[in-house]
Amino acid sequence: MRLQNGSSETSLKEVKEFSEWILSVGDGNAGGPNEGEAEIKVSNDILIEGKSDPIATIVESTYPLLKDHLWEPKYFQEMAILAPTYEIVEMVNDYVLSHLPGEEKLYLSSDAISNVEGNLVASEIYSTKFLNIIRCSGLPNHHLRLKVGAPVMLLRNIDQTSGLCNGTRLVIKHLGNRVIEAVVISGSNVGDKVFIPRMTLTPSDATRFPIKFQRR
């Protein structure tokens, strides 16, 4: 976002240096040659002053007065929180959800071994309880907690003509038992009301798993 927002205040040289630094961090080259650990110097202008609760500090710095801007698409289009692990993602999500007004609704997935050739033995080895604890890219967790007003992001392409693609941001408007009503707040269909039905998904990176399973 900093790269996209380069203006007269940020010279092209500074943008270039910042982009190269970001790439060096991602590639593991920042801090010199290393074997997975290195000390990295971070510029003061992109640091958030630490407090007792770092998650709260990050959320409040990125989304000030969140509850007052839930239904404003531009508010979410201009800001995002990136996290290095699923655990941190869940900590951020739990914090935001706990500070939104309204009643929480819990959705539980139905997980099962896929009925495909060569997968019959797996169905006898892996229990449903084991499948429930699997967390992976492209799938919501077994426990999905939501509230009306919660900002969410699609993990899959559902209907590209309606703008429902992987990465599309929405705000929850109604939580039914088998369908979720939401408002699109990113892309070319901002403001559209959409309905997300219950559906069956498989891991997007199936090569990481020794078994083929599905989550509804």
Side-chain angles (χ1 to χ4, degrees):
M1 291 184 176
R2 175 169 174 166
L3 300 182
Q4 294 174 347
N5 293 332
S7 62
S8 57
E9 298 179 2
T10 306
S11 68
L12 293 177
K13 181 181 178 181
E14 290 175 328
V15 171
K16 183 174 183 296
E17 290 175 350
F18 180 74
S19 63
E20 290 176 348
W21 179 78
I22 286 290
L23 289 173
S24 70
V25 172
D27 293 337
N29 298 324
N34 63 82
E35 297 181 356
E37 290 188 11
E39 290 188 3
I40 301 173
K41 184 177 181 180
V42 180
S43 175
N44 288 331
D45 67 321
I46 59 173
L47 285 176
I48 301 174
E49 290 296 330
K51 295 182 180 179
S52 57
D53 187 343
I55 297 297
T57 303
I58 291 172
V59 172
E60 292 166 7
S61 173
T62 309
Y63 296 110
L65 302 175
L66 174 64
K67 290 185 285 187
D68 296 335
H69 301 279
L70 287 177
W71 304 100
E72 299 176 18
K74 189 176 180 181
Y75 184 75
F76 292 102
Q77 291 171 357
E78 295 180 345
M79 295 168 285
I81 297 174
L82 304 181
T85 64
Y86 291 127
E87 288 76 14
I88 300 299
V89 170
E90 291 181 11
M91 290 172 66
V92 173
N93 288 344
D94 290 344
Y95 176 84
V96 173
L97 201 65
S98 67
H99 284 72
L100 293 181
E103 185 177 349
E104 179 183 295
K105 189 173 181 68
L106 174 66
Y107 292 91
L108 299 178
S109 69
S110 174
D111 301 337
I113 297 293
S114 300
N115 187 22
V116 296
E117 185 178 355
N119 219 27
L120 297 179
V121 176
S123 62
E124 300 177 2
I125 299 176
Y126 298 100
S127 66
T128 301
K129 183 178 292 187
F130 171 78
L131 298 178
N132 290 163
I133 65 174
I134 293 178
R135 301 179 181 181
C136 58
S137 176
L139 287 184
N141 292 338
H142 170 61
H143 293 86
L144 181 62
R145 298 163 47 237
L146 293 172
K147 282 183 180 180
V148 171
V152 298
M153 180 181 289
L154 292 184
L155 300 177
R156 294 294 181 91
N157 294 332
I158 298 178
D159 184 356
Q160 295 186 9
T161 58
S162 300
L164 298 181
C165 307
N166 180 20
T168 298
R169 300 189 196 186
L170 311 99
V171 171
I172 302 297
K173 194 165 186 179
H174 177 74
L175 296 168
N177 291 328
R178 294 182 175 84
V179 68
I180 293 174
E181 180 184 344
V183 176
V184 179
I185 59 173
S186 70
S188 58
N189 296 73
V190 172
D192 287 2
K193 181 169 66 175
V194 296
F195 296 91
I196 312 296
R198 183 171 58 180
M199 62 187 71
T200 300
L201 301 171
T202 56
S204 54
D205 185 9
T207 57
R208 290 183 54 230
F209 297 94
I211 57 174
K212 298 182 185 298
F213 79 100
Q214 60 190 33
R215 175 164 290 169
R216 185 180 67 183

